[in-house]
């Protein structure tokens, strides 16, 4: 957008609007990268570390506890089946060992599981930080687009309704010598109609006029304009009141009066 706006020309309404849009998109991109970095640092990294670290350790110890419980159950079963005194004594010794190992592993697992409570509290805070970062991101994007909308609304442009073609331009300043007087429409835009153009149309001869905005000719009967250039304009009998005949060197064609400012 910025490159295209530069090609069109920063001095043109469309080129300037493209540049403004491009700059806003860059600001949104910066905010997006900041959100990604914040989410990675404050939420994703702690969560990943827990899953790949503490969680794996807990899962491993729980599996060991399950194996110790199976060993303990097997030792109890062998003790019940022991008939001879020697075999029973050996089974009792095995049971004491497996019970001790089970108890030790159960204590390790219990301590690890108790630590999950504090881990959950920590990750809950991380999740809150992530949500707040998202809220900040969307608030920034909304403000950026709101500012862009206001900037685009201040640019001069021509709008065409579906029923009748009506030229609209921003409100000229009170001190401006822009051709035509202004009337506010229901949409908040300004429709320009001729006023001090009467002198030019009733009199003979021509006047110098400064071009306010770039204008691309729609056909061969019109003259393309560049903002801030000075051209010669004169009226032609029977021509639409919204147009004048413009002349620049050997080039001649119709020009819209709303794009001109008569010079003394």
């Amino acid at each position: 957008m910025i490159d295209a706006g530069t090609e069109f020309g920063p001095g043109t309404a469309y080129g300037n609007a493209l540049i403004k849009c491009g700059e806003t998109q860059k600001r949104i991109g910066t905010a997006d990268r900041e959100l990604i970095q914040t989410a990675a640092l404050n939420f994703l990294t702690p969560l990943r570390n827990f899953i790949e670290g503490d969680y794996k350790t807990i899962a491993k110890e729980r599996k060991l506890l399950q194996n110790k419980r199976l060993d303990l159950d097997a030792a109890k079963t062998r003790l019940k089946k022991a008939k001879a005194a020697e075999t029973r004594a050996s089974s009792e010794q095995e049971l004491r060992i497996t019970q001790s190992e089970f108890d030790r592993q159960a204590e390790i697992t219990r301590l690890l599981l108790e630590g999950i409570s504090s881990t959950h509290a920590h990750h809950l805070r991380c999740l809150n930080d992530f949500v707040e970062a998202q809220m900040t991101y969307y608030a920034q994007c909304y403000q950026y687009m709101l500012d862009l909308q206001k900037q685009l609304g201040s640019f001069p442009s021509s709008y065409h309704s579906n029923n009748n073609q009506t030229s609209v331009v921003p409100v000229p300043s009170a001190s401006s010598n822009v051709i035509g007087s202004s009337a506010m429409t229901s949409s908040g835009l300004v429709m320009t109609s001729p006023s001090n153009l009467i002198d030019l149309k009733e009199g003979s001869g021509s006047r110098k006029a400064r071009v306010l905005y770039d204008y691309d000719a729609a056909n061969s009967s019109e003259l393309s304009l560049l903002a801030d250039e000075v051209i010669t304009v004169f009226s032609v009998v029977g021509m639409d009141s919204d147009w004048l005949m413009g002349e620049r060197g050997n080039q001649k064609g119709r020009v819209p009066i709303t794009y001109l400012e008569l010079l003394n």
Side-chain angles (χ1 to χ4, degrees):
M1 285 183 177
I2 294 176
D3 291 343
T6 303
E7 289 292 331
F8 277 106
T12 65
Y14 183 55
N16 196 2
L18 278 174
I19 293 174
K20 293 294 184 183
C21 288
E23 291 173 347
T24 299
Q25 295 302 321
K26 288 179 65 176
R27 295 174 71 185
I28 292 177
T30 300
D32 184 65
R33 287 190 292 273
E34 291 176 355
L35 172 64
I36 293 174
Q37 293 173 356
T38 301
L41 180 64
N42 296 335
F43 175 68
L44 294 177
T45 299
L47 181 61
R48 185 181 296 111
N49 291 339
F50 172 73
I51 292 175
E52 296 179 354
D54 294 346
Y55 182 79
K56 283 186 176 181
T57 300
I58 292 173
K60 177 183 176 183
E61 296 300 331
R62 289 186 65 180
K63 186 175 182 179
L64 286 175
L65 178 63
Q66 184 178 5
N67 292 336
K68 295 298 181 182
R69 183 183 62 79
L70 293 175
D71 292 341
L72 179 61
D73 290 344
K76 290 179 179 179
T77 300
R78 282 192 291 270
L79 178 60
K80 289 180 179 179
K81 292 180 178 181
K83 301 295 183 180
E86 183 177 347
T87 303
R88 188 172 182 81
S90 175
S91 297
E92 289 176 349
Q93 177 66 20
E94 180 186 10
L95 178 60
R96 284 192 295 270
I97 294 174
T98 53
Q99 182 68 57
S100 175
E101 291 179 349
F102 173 79
D103 293 341
R104 183 171 60 86
Q105 185 61 39
E107 180 65 15
I108 293 174
T109 306
R110 183 184 66 80
L111 293 174
L112 289 173
L113 292 176
E114 285 180 352
I116 287 184
S117 299
S118 60
T119 301
H120 283 179
H122 171 67
H123 285 292
L124 182 59
R125 290 193 297 271
C126 292
L127 185 59
N128 286 332
D129 291 341
F130 171 66
V131 172
E132 289 181 2
Q134 277 193 311
M135 291 174 59
T136 301
Y137 166 72
Y138 288 118
Q140 284 179 327
C141 291
Y142 174 77
Q143 187 60 50
Y144 292 157
M145 297 309 296
L146 194 63
D147 294 341
L148 176 62
Q149 185 182 45
K150 292 179 180 178
Q151 290 174 347
L152 294 183
S154 66
F155 289 156
S157 58
S158 294
Y159 298 85
H160 300 282
S161 64
N162 292 330
N163 299 326
N164 298 311
Q165 291 188 349
T166 305
S167 295
V168 290
V169 297
V171 182
S173 62
S175 60
S176 173
N177 190 28
V178 179
I179 297 178
S181 59
S182 301
M184 187 65 67
T185 66
S186 59
S187 63
L189 297 169
V190 175
M191 183 170 61
T192 303
S193 60
S195 82
N196 60 343
L197 175 66
I198 297 176
D199 295 338
L200 181 60
K201 284 191 173 293
E202 290 182 348
S204 59
S206 59
R207 291 278 296 275
K208 292 293 185 181
R210 184 175 66 88
V211 177
L212 297 176
Y213 323 114
D214 286 0
Y215 176 76
D216 293 328
N219 52 56
S220 59
S221 69
E222 298 178 5
L223 180 65
S224 295
L225 303 174
L226 294 176
D228 293 327
E229 72 171 327
V230 177
I231 63 173
T232 301
V233 295
F234 54 92
S235 62
V236 175
V237 177
M239 181 177 290
D240 191 304
S241 61
D242 291 333
W243 297 80
L244 287 173
M245 186 62 69
E247 190 174 42
R248 182 203 304 115
N250 296 328
Q251 296 177 322
K252 184 184 299 184
R254 297 192 310 150
V255 293
I257 65 172
T258 53
Y259 282 66
L260 302 174
E261 177 185 2
L262 283 180
L263 301 177
N264 294 327

